């Protein structure tokens, strides 16, 4: 398929994704927005991912495949940004997928509202259940830094993949490399800097929760990089006098039992919140601004 002007460049970091990449790519080549390019960065996969990418490349000329040594998702996204030619850039993880009208709705909302970022909704897809995590009800625009960051639900939903970004506005804004949680460190600064943030209802990104994925691993390196990212985000917000209006996601649970019966559950959130639940589910107290 030959397309003239490219409206959205979709960048996919791919690492050992042979189980999922077909569903991801099928959701993209069937987008109602046809003026797209799909840039797949094979990040040193040792499985059949590269062969699958080449197979789909033969099916659709909008797919571009780049093969590089393993460098992590930050390096892959940076590679993709350099190659992108679209008016806007979107990111999709290789084990996720999107609704058919996803990029058309985000692109039209950005253009019609003169915004450099458009944000859509997303589901978290588990093996059995799926849950709607973000669901914008209306098309709304925000231009003040505090409003943009608040309605992006940062730092609670600090994800790069449920949004598109004006390409020319992020060309020099590279992702950190050789670390985890690079997207968290990148996104808050992008939303602060770019002009205009529009929310887009009635279309969804589908985020697959995999037990073996980067975000579910608990190595020391992951823990250290997560703390570094949270520290950098908090410093950035304080430096720009932006209050943290949306709490971080749950970071730790402690269960208190007596004779095998759960009496209390303590839920720790970053930054600055503890929730105490009687018998593990009845909320009894919330403590804020702890150290």
């Amino acid at each position: 398929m030959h397309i003239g002007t490219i409206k959205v460049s979709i960048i996919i970091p791919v690492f050992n994704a042979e189980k999922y990449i077909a569903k991801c790519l099928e959701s993209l080549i069937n987008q109602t927005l046809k003026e797209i390019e799909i840039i797949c960065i094979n990040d040193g996969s040792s499985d059949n991912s590269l062969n699958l990418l080449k197979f789909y490349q033969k099916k659709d000329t909008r797919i571009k495949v780049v093969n590089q040594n393993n460098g992590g998702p930050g390096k892959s996204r940076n590679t993709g940004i350099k190659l992108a030619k679209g008016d806007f850039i979107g990111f999709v993880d290789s084990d996720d997928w999107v609704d058919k009208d996803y990029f058309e709705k985000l692109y039209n909302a950005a253009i019609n509202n003169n915004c450099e970022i458009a944000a859509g909704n997303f589901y978290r897809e588990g093996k059995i259940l799926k849950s709607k995590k973000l669901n914008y009800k209306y098309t709304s625009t925000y231009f003040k830094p505090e409003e943009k960051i608040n309605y992006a639900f940062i730092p609670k939903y600090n994800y790069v993949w449920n949004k598109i970004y004006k390409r020319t506005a992020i060309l020099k804004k590279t992702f950190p490399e050789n670390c985890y949680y690079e997207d968290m460190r990148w996104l808050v600064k992008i939303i602060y800097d770019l002009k205009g943030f529009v929310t887009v209802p009635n279309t969804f990104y589908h985020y697959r929760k995999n037990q073996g994925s980067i975000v579910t691993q608990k190595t020391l390196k992951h823990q250290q990089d997560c703390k570094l990212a949270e520290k950098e985000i908090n410093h950035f917000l304080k430096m720009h006098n932006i209050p943290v209006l949306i709490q971080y996601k749950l970071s730790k649970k402690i269960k208190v039992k007596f004779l095998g019966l759960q009496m209390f559950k303590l839920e720790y959130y970053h930054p600055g919140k503890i929730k105490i639940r009687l018998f593990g589910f009845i909320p009894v107290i919330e403590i804020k601004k702890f150290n």
Side-chain angles (χ1 to χ4, degrees):
M1 180 183 296
H2 177 72
I3 298 296
T5 301
I6 298 172
K7 293 181 177 178
V8 179
S9 299
I10 304 166
I11 298 169
I12 312 173
V14 180
F15 177 71
N16 290 349
E18 63 178 3
K19 293 181 181 179
Y20 311 111
I21 192 62
K23 181 168 184 143
C24 175
L25 290 176
E26 289 287 348
S27 78
L28 298 179
I29 63 179
N30 290 304
Q31 286 292 295
T32 55
L33 182 67
K34 302 304 180 184
E35 300 90 342
I36 62 174
E37 64 175 352
I38 304 165
I39 304 173
C40 304
I41 311 297
N42 181 55
D43 192 38
S45 297
S46 58
D47 64 359
N48 199 42
S49 293
L50 182 58
N51 289 331
L52 288 170
L53 293 177
K54 291 179 177 179
F55 170 79
Y56 274 94
Q57 187 178 32
K58 292 178 181 178
K59 291 179 63 175
D60 195 317
T61 58
R62 296 174 300 172
I63 296 177
K64 299 176 175 62
V65 177
V66 178
N67 194 34
Q68 68 179 27
N69 293 330
N70 181 256
K75 180 180 179 181
S76 295
R77 294 190 183 110
N78 289 336
T79 299
I81 290 172
K82 292 176 184 177
L83 298 172
K85 296 180 174 63
D87 295 332
F88 284 80
I89 287 177
F91 301 101
V92 175
D93 284 354
S94 57
D95 50 356
D96 299 340
W97 68 96
V98 296
D99 287 355
K100 287 186 177 181
D101 59 0
Y102 188 76
F103 284 105
E104 181 176 21
K105 286 188 173 179
L106 265 63
Y107 177 81
N108 287 341
I111 294 298
N112 294 337
N113 293 279
N114 195 29
C115 289
E116 292 187 335
I117 302 177
N121 305 306
F122 69 90
Y123 279 99
R124 185 175 70 177
E125 303 275 352
K127 288 186 177 180
I128 301 175
L129 301 175
K130 72 176 183 178
S131 55
K132 189 182 294 181
K133 290 298 184 180
L134 185 59
N135 188 20
Y136 293 118
K137 299 291 188 180
Y138 307 101
T139 299
S140 303
T141 57
Y142 306 97
F143 292 89
K144 295 179 180 179
E146 183 175 319
E147 290 180 338
K148 290 186 295 178
I149 288 171
N150 184 32
Y151 286 99
F153 288 88
I154 286 179
K156 184 178 182 179
Y157 294 143
N158 213 335
Y159 305 124
V160 300
W161 34 247
N162 70 314
K163 306 169 183 72
I164 62 172
Y165 314 85
K166 185 71 174 176
R167 181 181 63 86
T168 54
I170 67 170
L171 284 176
K172 296 182 180 180
K173 301 179 185 299
T174 57
F175 282 85
E177 298 185 6
N178 302 313
C179 64
Y180 301 110
Y181 303 99
E182 76 295 330
D183 48 352
M184 292 171 58
R185 296 167 60 186
W186 183 85
L187 184 60
V188 67
K189 300 168 187 176
I190 293 298
I191 291 180
Y192 181 88
D193 287 341
L194 268 60
K195 298 174 183 177
F197 179 95
V198 59
T199 59
V200 184
N202 303 320
T203 192
F204 287 86
Y205 183 104
H206 298 264
Y207 154 59
R208 189 193 301 268
K209 183 182 180 183
N210 292 319
Q211 290 303 313
S213 67
I214 288 176
V215 295
T216 60
Q217 297 177 30
K218 301 295 182 182
T219 66
L220 180 60
K221 172 67 172 171
H222 286 87
Q223 294 172 17
Q224 291 174 337
D225 285 356
C226 183
K227 289 180 180 179
L228 176 63
E230 291 177 352
K231 182 178 180 180
E232 187 170 326
I233 291 167
N234 283 326
H235 175 73
F236 182 86
L237 294 175
K238 288 179 181 179
M239 184 173 64
H240 292 90
N241 297 313
I242 297 176
V244 177
L245 301 178
I246 306 296
Q247 297 295 320
Y248 280 122
K249 62 185 178 181
L250 177 67
S251 64
K252 182 173 64 173
K253 295 178 185 178
I254 295 179
K255 297 178 181 179
V256 180
K257 295 184 178 182
F258 179 71
L259 298 178
L261 177 66
Q262 183 171 307
M263 304 301 295
F264 294 96
K265 180 168 69 175
L266 287 78
E267 298 177 340
Y268 289 80
Y269 293 78
H270 287 294
K273 181 186 288 186
I274 301 176
K275 292 181 181 179
I276 301 176
R277 299 183 186 274
L278 182 64
F279 305 122
F281 64 93
I282 302 174
V284 292
I285 190 171
E286 183 176 294
I287 305 170
K288 295 183 179 180
K289 296 184 178 179
F290 64 92
N291 293 318

